[in-house]
């Protein structure tokens, strides 16, 4: 290959845990002419993002912006700014991403208590309440709304009540939920909500929406020691996003265009309609997989429509199945993370990837590959069950 070889990525059907397929309008927005990061026209784009983010996050919080970087930058901004050395922090951990929050909180100097649940169930709010009381000096409680490693939806409101009762602030990871299932920052009583662009918002990875309640902002501003991250210091970031427009970093211009277009698409579709679309396609996929004879890993009462974990049947090679799907059918799905490594597949139906055609395509090719592996997948039953579910509202 010559050094100047051109780039030819193949077209894939992205049904893994992210990135999801981006809408052509989002990709087109990224090819718009670059502007300077302080050009009044670009500042208007930023203001548009801020206003639309408030709508999509369902919040009136003044401090609402997007950090430069993938979803993890939103997580790091939330934790590094909110947690001060010595603060008690209780983290609900029922998967890989909850544990990542806990690790960050430890690096921020927090005294961290993990409240764990088996990978496949949500964390019990009563257990969180007990842990808050036992730990003392708890200033921050954190949880993952949609745990992408397990496919589980964590109920947030009971955690918000537990946090509030103890005078602590609640941080919620909505990286995989925003734009796919209901996220209601203000109604929940969440103090910090962050997300990412590459899951249900269907833009490329590269920005992380984040919003802070007045109480969370007060804690950030009252810090005795500066935030350990300069790049993700929310006080510096806010000074660029608000009317002060103080230079902090060169905004990732094209990524902000992408976010703007992706948010416009979400609002054009309508949040409720978008949640209903994800719910329907997710339910159809899950009906189809069960009709095929497979076992879903997450608790039935807490399954996410946007990310489904499927147990690998006895005798089937998990990685070979994923490889065959990608190489022969152009379909990407994910393998298990952490303690579910080798035990489950993770199938995403996020944003633009959440369409009926992908549900039926996936069931057909997945069943075929499983049959080659000796698992008697009933593809006809699977397609029938999924199609029946897709016909319902
Ligand atoms: C994907 C994901 C992240 C991390 O986002 P990146 O874009 O990979 O940095 C954090 N939390 C959850 C729940 C996720 O699904």
């Amino acid at each position: 290959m010559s050094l100047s070889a051109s780039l030819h990525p193949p077209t894939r059907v992205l049904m893994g845990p992210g990135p999801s397929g981006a809408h052509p309008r989002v990709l087109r927005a990224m090819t718009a002419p670059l502007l300077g990061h302080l050009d009044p026209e670009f500042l208007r784009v930023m203001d548009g993002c801020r206003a639309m983010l408030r709508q999509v996050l369902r919040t009136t919080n003044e401090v609402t912006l997007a950090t430069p970087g993938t979803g993890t930058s939103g997580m790091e901004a939330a934790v590094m700014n909110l947690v001060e050395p010595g603060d008690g922090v209780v983290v609900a951990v029922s998967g890989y991403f909850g544990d990542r929050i806990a690790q960050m909180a430890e690096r921020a100097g927090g005294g961290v208590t993990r409240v764990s649940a088996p990978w496949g169930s949500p964390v019990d709010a009563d257990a969180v309440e007990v842990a808050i009381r036992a730990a003392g000096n708890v200033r921050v409680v954190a949880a993952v709304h949609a745990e992408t490693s397990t496919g589980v939806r964590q109920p947030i409101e009971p955690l918000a009540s537990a946090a509030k009762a103890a005078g602590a602030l609640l941080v919620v990871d909505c990286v995989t939920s925003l734009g796919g299932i209901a996220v209601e920052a203000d109604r929940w009583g969440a103090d910090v909500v962050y997300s990412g662009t590459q899951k249900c918002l269907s833009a490329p990875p590269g920005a992380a929406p984040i919003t802070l309640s007045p109480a969370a902002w007060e804690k950030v501003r009252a810090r005795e020691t500066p935030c350990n991250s300069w790049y993700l210091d929310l006080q510096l970031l806010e000074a660029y996003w608000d009317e002060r427009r103080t230079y902090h970093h060169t905004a990732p211009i094209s990524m902000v265009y992408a976010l703007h277009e992706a948010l416009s698409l979400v609002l054009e579709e309508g949040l409720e309609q978008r949640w209903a679309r994800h719910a329907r396609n997710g339910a159809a996929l899950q009906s189809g997989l069960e009709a095929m004879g497979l076992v879903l890993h997450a608790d039935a009462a807490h399954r996410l429509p946007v990310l489904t974990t499927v147990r690998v049947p006895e005798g089937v090679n998990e990685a070979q199945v994923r490889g065959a799907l990608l190489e022969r059918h152009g379909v990407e799905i994910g393998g298990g993370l952490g303690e579910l490594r080798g035990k489950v597949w993770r199938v995403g139906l996020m944003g633009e990837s959440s369409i009926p055609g992908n549900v039926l395509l996936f069931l057909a090719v997945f069943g075929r590959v499983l049959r080659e592996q000796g698992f008697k997948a009933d593809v006809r039953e699977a397609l029938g069950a999924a199609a029946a579910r897709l016909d319902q509202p």
Side-chain angles (χ1 to χ4, degrees):
M1 195 174 74
S2 81
L3 286 176
S4 62
S6 55
L7 183 69
H8 289 295
T11 301
R12 306 284 202 207
V13 178
L14 294 175
M15 295 182 68
S20 60
H23 193 286
R25 266 176 55 188
V26 170
L27 297 177
R28 210 179 308 135
M30 297 185 81
T31 66
L34 290 183
L35 290 168
H37 65 283
L38 291 173
D39 185 312
E41 288 298 326
F42 182 69
L43 301 180
R44 283 193 332 110
V45 176
M46 290 174 73
D47 287 344
C49 284
R50 220 157 141 84
M52 287 191 284
L53 278 175
R54 291 193 187 104
Q55 289 184 61
V56 171
L57 289 157
R58 298 264 175 129
T59 183
T60 57
N61 292 339
E62 183 58 31
V63 180
T64 302
L65 51 86
T67 57
T70 64
T72 307
S73 76
M75 185 189 287
E76 194 138 297
V79 174
M80 291 302 161
N81 284 272
L82 229 59
V83 177
E84 286 182 85
D87 280 354
V89 182
V90 169
V91 186
V93 179
S94 64
Y96 177 90
F97 290 102
D99 188 66
R100 184 181 285 188
I101 297 176
Q103 289 179 37
M104 285 184 185
E106 283 162 351
R107 291 189 185 205
V112 176
T113 305
R114 288 169 166 81
V115 182
S116 304
W119 287 35
S121 305
V123 174
D124 178 34
D126 293 338
V128 170
E129 205 175 327
V130 169
I132 293 173
R133 237 181 283 126
N137 187 36
V138 172
R139 307 291 313 278
V140 177
V141 175
V144 178
H145 183 214
E147 182 47 84
T148 320
S149 61
T150 62
V152 167
R153 181 200 302 244
Q154 173 73 49
I156 297 302
E157 278 164 312
L159 298 181
S161 313
K164 194 142 293 166
L169 299 167
L170 179 68
V171 175
V172 188
D173 176 316
C174 291
V175 176
T176 285
S177 51
L178 190 68
I181 64 174
V183 168
E184 303 264 7
D186 286 1
R187 199 169 58 72
W188 286 343
D191 293 289
V192 180
V193 170
Y194 61 85
S195 188
T197 45
Q198 50 134 328
K199 312 267 169 110
C200 294
L201 293 180
S202 267
I210 185 167
T211 188
L212 279 80
S213 71
W217 190 233
E218 203 179 296
K219 181 170 189 334
V220 170
R221 296 192 2 148
R223 287 183 67 100
E224 279 173 19
T225 54
C227 167
N228 269 330
S229 170
W230 194 92
Y231 192 49
L232 295 174
D233 184 328
L234 285 169
Q235 294 186 77
L236 301 178
L237 285 165
E238 174 64 13
Y240 172 47
W241 279 80
D242 74 15
E243 62 292 338
R244 288 170 285 171
R245 306 297 181 184
T246 308
Y247 166 71
H248 169 259
H249 66 287
T250 308
I253 306 294
S254 310
M255 200 55 227
V256 177
Y257 294 165
L259 174 62
H260 192 280
E261 194 69 1
L263 293 169
S264 299
L265 282 158
V266 170
L267 294 172
E268 282 169 31
E269 181 174 3
L271 274 175
E272 275 90 0
Q273 285 84 346
R274 196 174 173 94
W275 299 336
R277 167 165 66 85
H278 283 87
R280 183 169 57 250
N281 293 329
L285 174 71
Q286 290 167 5
S287 307
L289 289 166
E290 288 185 321
M292 195 183 280
L294 293 161
V295 178
L296 304 184
H297 179 72
D299 286 359
H302 299 282
R303 270 178 207 153
L304 288 169
V306 298
L307 193 286
T308 300
T309 41
V310 188
R311 290 206 184 126
V312 178
E314 201 59 45
V316 171
N317 184 309
E318 182 273 321
Q320 275 178 17
V321 169
R322 265 188 297 130
L325 286 172
L326 188 67
E327 282 151 35
R328 299 205 337 251
H329 302 288
V331 174
E332 180 185 86
I333 63 167
L337 267 184
E339 65 181 62
L340 292 178
R341 196 186 162 86
K343 296 183 181 149
V344 299
W345 292 288
R346 294 184 297 150
V347 187
L349 283 172
M350 303 180 186
E352 291 308 308
S353 292
S354 178
I355 54 172
N358 281 353
V359 173
L360 300 173
L361 164 76
F362 177 73
L363 291 169
V365 297
F366 189 50
R368 210 183 136 112
V369 170
L370 286 175
R371 288 185 74 85
E372 290 163 5
Q373 287 266 334
F375 177 78
K376 300 257 171 298
D378 196 333
V379 177
R380 193 182 294 261
E381 277 293 318
L383 290 172
R389 183 62 189 84
L390 288 170
D391 286 341
Q392 292 166 32

